[in-house]
């Protein structure tokens, strides 16, 4: 009876949790995400409820041209033009707060150590709002976004499992972005999950770019097969990796939906624990074996492989026979200069030297003490030489007024005067001056 009650409770729990999660998924459908057409064989059949899949195909939106077509899932040519477009053209109604990014690509020999943007959205001023960086030199993946406080938060995933991303083989890199956590998957295996702060909403007035080198903004030289963004954070866990094994292989059972797997939904995963292993089973259609084909032509010479790891040290060999006496060696090079030796004994007194030059004046002596006696007066010095002329002195003050001088001698005669006026007509007698009287004497 007790066992029956326990089974009843368990079945009720299994039935109620998917319904609750299905409600959560339907609440995300706010009209911001369009329906997305993808192959049903991409998903694991862990739920029997077909749901509409919504999201964005970035390879289609960036108008990438198909390159290699030898496989069912062709790769795309990235070209040389910048892969950047207005965000409103890529996400007309904005980007949901929770989503999955799923990409399939492989690096080339010339770019396996490059640092490049797998995806970036930036605003009108050029500030990054969200981005995924692949660093081939450090072999890490970085996820950055703006928090509610508008500061940039960066989370670096450094697991050694990510090193295989750069081995020039096809890999599926998926990122699940939830409200408070970011999970990274490689080849359908959970690599690491990190708790995060809440993110700010995306401003669609900026631009969006994909597969772009950070150094110069040109497309990175990789081969790209797929770049999808689902409007559901659980799709990254639901997708299988059958196309990596063989493009013709698919999951044994498939479905079309966005709900999270039931096993994952029952017991929330701790951030420090890996997710349960996938139960996907890929199969390829059985085909009747034909006759052996004609041997193909030799392929082209492959690229030079990477340097292998250092091998283990081999066992010590047996001791060889004793060698013959060698010839005399060459003279060795001079050694380094030795350290300074100890001082020797004091030598004998040398001969008296010549008189030296006059020394510099000494410093003034200390003041004499008051108790010192005054010395005798010295001898009078010799008479000095005549000094040079001094500087002229200032003008002296005016002297006193002198005495009145004597009367001077008469001056020289003046010049002859001009004729006088005409005399009177009536014969009036003019007054005749004496001869010795002149005009000068008048004055």
């Amino acid at each position: 009876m007790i066992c029956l009650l326990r089974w009843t409770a368990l079945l009720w729990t299994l039935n109620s949790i998917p319904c609750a999660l299905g409600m959560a998924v339907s609440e995300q459908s706010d009209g911001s995400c369009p329906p997305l057409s993808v192959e049903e064989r991409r998903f694991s059949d862990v739920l029997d409820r077909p749901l509409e899949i919504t999201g964005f195909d970035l390879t289609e939106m960036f108008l990438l041209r198909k390159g290699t077509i030898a496989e069912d899932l062709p790769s795309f040519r990235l070209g040389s033009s910048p892969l950047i477009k207005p965000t409103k053209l890529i996400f007309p109604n904005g980007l949901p707060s929770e989503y999955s990014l799923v990409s399939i690509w492989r690096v080339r020999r010339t770019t396996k150590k490059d640092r490049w943007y797998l995806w970036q959205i930036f605003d009108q001023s050029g500030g990054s709002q969200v981005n995924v960086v692949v660093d081939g030199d450090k072999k890490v993946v970085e996820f950055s976004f703006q928090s509610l406080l508008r500061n940039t938060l960066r989370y670096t995933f450094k697991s050694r499992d990510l090193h295989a991303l750069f081995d020039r083989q096809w890999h599926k890199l998926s990122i699940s972005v939830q409200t408070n956590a970011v999970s990274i998957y490689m080849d359908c295996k959970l690599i690491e999950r990190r708790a995060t702060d809440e993110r700010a909403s995306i401003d669609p007035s900026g631009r969006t770019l994909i597969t772009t080198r950070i150094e110069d903004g040109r497309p990175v030289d990789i081969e790209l097969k797929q770049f999808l963004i689902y409007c559901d954070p659980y799709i990254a866990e639901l997708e299988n990796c059958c196309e990596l094994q063989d493009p013709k292989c698919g999951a044994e059972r498939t479905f079309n939906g966005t709900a999270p797997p039931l096993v994952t939904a029952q017991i929330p995963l701790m951030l420090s624990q890996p997710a349960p292993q996938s139960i996907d089973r890929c199969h390829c259609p059985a085909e009747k074996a034909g006759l052996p084909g004609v041997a193909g032509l030799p392929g082209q010479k492959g690229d030079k492989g990477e340097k292998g790891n250092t091998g283990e040290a081999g066992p010590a060999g047996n001791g060889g026979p004793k060698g013959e006496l060698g010839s005399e060696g060459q003279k060795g090079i001079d050694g380094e200069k030795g350290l300074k030796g100890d001082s020797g004994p004091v030598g004998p007194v040398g001969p008296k030297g010549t008189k030296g030059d006059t020394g510099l004046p000494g410093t003034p002596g200390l003041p004499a003490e008051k108790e010192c006696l005054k010395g005798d007066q010295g001898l009078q010095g010799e008479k000095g030489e005549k000094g040079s002329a001094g500087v002229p002195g200032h003008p002296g003050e005016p002297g006193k007024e002198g005495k009145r001088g004597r009367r001077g001698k008469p001056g020289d005669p003046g010049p002859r005067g001009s004729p006088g006026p005409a005399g009177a007509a009536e014969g009036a007698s003019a007054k005749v001056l004496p001869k010795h009287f002149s005009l000068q004497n008048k004055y």
Side-chain angles (χ1 to χ4, degrees), residues 132-146:
V132 178
V133 173
V134 179
D135 193 328
D137 187 31
K138 298 180 180 179
K139 292 182 172 55
V140 300
V141 176
E142 300 174 4
F143 180 79
S144 303
F145 62 85
Q146 280 190 346

Side-chain angles (χ1 to χ4, degrees), residues 281-403:
R281 293 184 298 274
C282 302
H283 74 285
C284 299
E287 295 181 357
K288 184 177 180 180
L291 297 176
V294 180
L297 298 175
Q300 297 180 357
K301 184 179 179 180
D303 298 329
K304 184 178 179 180
E306 299 181 359
K307 184 178 179 181
N309 298 327
T310 305
E312 298 180 356
N318 299 326
K322 184 177 181 181
E324 299 178 356
L325 181 64
S327 58
E328 182 179 359
Q330 298 178 356
K331 182 181 179 180
I333 59 176
D334 296 336
E336 298 180 357
K337 186 177 180 180
L339 301 176
K340 184 177 180 181
D342 299 332
S343 301
V346 180
V349 179
K352 184 176 181 181
T354 58
K355 183 176 181 181
D357 297 333
T358 304
L360 298 175
T363 55
L366 299 174
E369 298 180 359
K370 294 182 179 181
E371 290 79 6
C372 295
L373 299 177
K374 184 177 182 181
D376 298 335
Q377 183 175 359
L379 300 177
Q380 184 176 358
E382 297 179 359
K383 184 177 181 180
E385 297 179 359
K386 182 178 180 180
S388 58
V391 181
H394 298 289
E397 297 180 357
K400 297 180 180 180
E401 185 178 0
K403 297 179 181 181

